[in-house]
Amino acid sequence: MIKTLIIDDEKLARDVIRAYLKSHSDIEIVSECANGFEGVKAIHEVKPDLIFLDVQMPKLTGFEMLELLDTVPVIIFSTAYDKFALKAFEQSAADYLLKPYSQSRFNEAISKARQRLTGGGEDKELITKIQESREVAREGLDRLVVRLGSKIVIISLDKIDFIEAQDDYVAIHSEGKKYLKQLTMKYLESSLPENQFVRVHRSFIVSISSIDRLEAMSKDTYMAILKTGIKIPVSRSGYGSLKEVLNF
């Protein structure tokens, strides 16, 4: 049996999927979730083979939810919106259902999911592709979502002081706390608002509003002193970026 999880904030949408699945006797619905928070918890608990996932949900979007997973099941996206770079996901998800859809279109998606499951199930490259596609699909990030054990923390950009590269992760420093998330500095540099964040060093992105002053350390190097007193090294190119943004 294929263990399946339905994640959608609309009960009617969940009912449609449940009804369409009645003709697929090899698929067992192990749980339903009405938001992304419940979805993350359920995926860890029931470990589904396949999930039906809405994209636009309150509090935590389907994309943000996937970024929090260690293991990614086979996914069929189900959404009423077609603006989320559909083509970018064609190679990542098993399929992408645009609401409203017919039983035959649904069956087609199921067939693709079965093929994906036969081929190995988990798509380990999906999260990376989602991150890259979000860059295309959205004007930019407006928050960061981090999983801390069983908790999910949503960090508003205006609460971030700076971001530091740490091997395959970044450390997000916010209100005196540090959160680790598997992202690249390159992705963040291109996705964060340019008028709000500046990459001042190969290993540091700083919130402009958190900077108290710049101090010269040598002829070509500077140090950004944050309002918290933390000192961030500023490279020559980083200094140039700050000059351009701050117009000094």
Side-chain angles (χ1 to χ4, degrees):
M1 297 290 285
I2 299 173
K3 295 195 300 181
T4 300
L5 176 65
I6 303 171
I7 307 170
D8 199 308
D9 62 317
E10 298 177 7
K11 184 179 182 301
L12 178 60
R14 299 197 303 273
D15 290 343
V16 168
I17 294 173
R18 178 178 286 277
Y20 283 172
L21 282 175
K22 286 183 178 178
S23 60
H24 299 271
S25 58
D26 62 330
I27 296 179
E28 175 191 11
I29 300 173
V30 292
S31 185
E32 291 184 18
C33 302
N35 59 62
F37 291 103
E38 293 179 4
V40 173
K41 183 173 183 290
I43 288 172
H44 282 90
E45 289 178 351
V46 304
K47 295 180 172 48
D49 305 304
L50 170 66
I51 62 174
F52 289 88
L53 180 62
D54 189 12
V55 176
Q56 282 294 87
M57 294 184 287
K59 299 182 181 179
L60 196 68
T61 70
F63 298 155
E64 290 172 331
M65 195 206 80
L66 290 176
E67 290 181 14
L68 302 173
L69 300 180
D70 297 323
T71 301
V72 183
V74 170
I75 298 169
I76 296 176
F77 286 105
S78 174
T79 179
Y81 301 88
D82 62 359
K83 65 178 182 179
F84 295 104
L86 293 179
K87 290 188 179 298
F89 292 96
E90 287 178 352
Q91 302 302 317
S92 302
D95 207 343
Y96 200 116
L97 292 171
L98 190 61
K99 301 173 184 174
Y101 44 84
S102 65
Q103 174 81 63
S104 61
R105 178 66 185 87
F106 181 85
N107 293 345
E108 182 183 327
I110 291 293
S111 177
K112 292 179 180 177
R114 287 197 182 97
Q115 292 177 11
R116 183 67 64 87
L117 286 163
T118 304
E122 178 186 358
D123 188 345
K124 294 182 179 179
E125 298 180 0
L126 179 56
I127 291 177
T128 300
K129 291 180 179 177
I130 286 171
Q131 292 170 346
E132 292 172 348
S133 297
R134 283 181 67 187
E135 184 178 342
V136 175
R138 302 175 55 172
E139 294 181 353
L141 293 173
D142 53 17
R143 60 186 183 180
L144 292 175
V145 182
V146 179
R147 181 162 60 88
L148 292 177
S150 61
K151 297 181 180 178
I152 296 171
V153 180
I154 297 176
I155 307 172
S156 173
L157 296 190
D158 60 4
K159 303 295 184 184
I160 296 175
D161 290 322
F162 67 99
I163 298 170
E164 179 182 8
Q166 292 196 349
D167 297 324
D168 294 333
Y169 291 79
V170 295
I172 303 163
H173 296 260
S174 172
E175 299 185 306
K177 298 179 181 178
K178 183 172 78 173
Y179 305 91
L180 289 178
K181 185 175 178 67
Q182 194 168 21
L183 283 176
T184 66
M185 293 292 279
K186 180 180 179 181
Y187 167 72
L188 287 171
E189 183 182 14
S190 61
S191 302
L192 291 168
E194 294 180 355
N195 61 349
Q196 195 173 347
F197 290 89
V198 173
R199 188 167 187 172
V200 298
H201 185 275
R202 180 169 57 86
S203 300
F204 291 94
I205 293 173
V206 176
S207 166
I208 294 172
S209 63
S210 296
I211 298 175
D212 180 68
R213 63 188 186 277
L214 296 176
E215 292 185 357
M217 304 303 292
S218 66
K219 180 181 178 182
D220 295 319
T221 61
Y222 288 81
M223 194 72 76
I225 313 299
L226 305 191
K227 294 174 182 176
T228 58
I230 292 174
K231 299 178 179 178
I232 303 293
V234 178
S235 65
R236 180 186 296 182
S237 63
Y239 183 72
S241 298
L242 281 172
K243 282 188 67 174
E244 184 176 341
V245 173
L246 297 176
N247 193 27
F248 64 87

